[in-house]
Amino acid sequence: KVFLFDVPLSNLDAKLRVQMRTEISKLHNKLNRQKIDKQTMGQSKEILKAIEMANIVCNTNMTVILEGKSGTGKELIAHAIHELSPRHNKPFVPVHCASFQENLLESELFGHEQGAFTSAIHQRKGKFEIADKGTLFLDEIGELSPLLQVKLLRVVEEKSIKPLGSAQEIKIDVRIISAT
């Protein structure tokens, strides 16, 4: 049972009961999201240092780059940083940069207008726009071409994107976590 000032929750009116349950649920979720669980991630010296750093940056809007060998849990750390951040209730959008051809990756990241290229039969939002207010995880960012890296830098600096075939910039608010 949950008591509010020694009054059973069941004695409150229905609207207040719903509000109280919602607030209690929010507090419970917040307590469960306080820190990355070391038991889940591991106990090695390197993992503990990575968890320590992740717990520091999770409450910031800093752009983060994770380095490590393939299969070491970089996406797991990125997702944990997102879940512990103020952006946790917004999208976490992972993109594996090495799995796209360069021309397709640009469309995937920034979106495109109908008719921007031969097979663009519909307008399409890019991953940046989909991740607006949330986190975009760019895995294998080292595989990006120098030209795409320059475009990505502009997005980071200007906080806006320009879909392929569009003359209009779109303002975005995305936290970027990348891995290589």
Side-chain angles (χ1 to χ4, degrees):
K1 289 186 175 181
V2 177
F3 291 88
L4 176 66
F5 304 109
D6 294 328
V7 177
L9 194 57
S10 59
N11 289 358
L12 301 174
D13 75 323
K15 186 176 180 181
L16 187 55
R17 255 195 326 267
V18 168
Q19 287 176 325
M20 290 300 298
R21 284 195 174 112
T22 301
E23 288 302 312
I24 290 166
S25 178
K26 284 180 186 176
L27 287 171
H28 180 70
N29 288 340
K30 187 174 181 178
L31 288 172
N32 286 338
R33 293 185 304 101
Q34 290 300 313
K35 293 200 179 254
I36 296 173
D37 181 16
K38 293 175 184 170
Q39 300 297 353
T40 302
M41 297 295 296
Q43 293 291 322
S44 74
K45 182 177 155 186
E46 293 82 6
I47 288 291
L48 292 177
K49 183 160 177 71
I51 290 170
E52 181 183 335
M53 294 299 293
N55 280 321
I56 291 169
V57 300
C58 67
N59 286 313
T60 72
N61 278 317
M62 295 173 60
T63 298
V64 175
I65 186 161
L66 304 170
E67 295 179 323
K69 292 181 180 178
S70 186
T72 56
K74 295 181 296 292
E75 185 169 352
L76 190 59
I77 291 278
H79 201 266
I81 290 170
H82 170 75
E83 286 299 315
L84 293 169
S85 79
R87 297 174 182 263
H88 72 274
N89 58 350
K90 300 297 181 187
F92 175 81
V93 180
V95 178
H96 192 277
C97 297
S99 65
F100 293 96
Q101 295 174 343
E102 182 179 349
N103 58 340
L104 293 177
L105 183 58
E106 188 172 355
S107 172
E108 192 71 20
L109 292 175
F110 307 124
H112 63 260
E113 295 294 320
Q114 181 178 351
F117 47 88
T118 307
S119 60
I121 57 174
H122 300 290
Q123 179 185 24
R124 184 165 179 233
K125 286 183 178 184
K127 299 296 188 186
F128 273 99
E129 199 172 349
I130 293 168
D132 193 34
K133 308 281 187 279
T135 302
L136 181 66
F137 175 59
L138 299 174
D139 197 7
E140 299 298 341
I141 196 166
E143 299 298 318
L144 295 180
S145 71
L147 179 62
L148 207 47
Q149 289 181 31
V150 169
K151 290 180 180 184
L152 185 59
L153 179 60
R154 180 170 166 73
V155 170
V156 171
E157 290 175 341
E158 302 295 325
K159 300 205 181 313
S160 65
I161 58 167
K162 190 173 174 182
L164 297 176
S166 177
Q168 190 173 359
E169 297 265 332
I170 299 172
K171 287 289 187 190
I172 54 163
D173 174 16
V174 175
R175 180 188 198 163
I176 298 172
I177 300 177
S178 58
T180 187

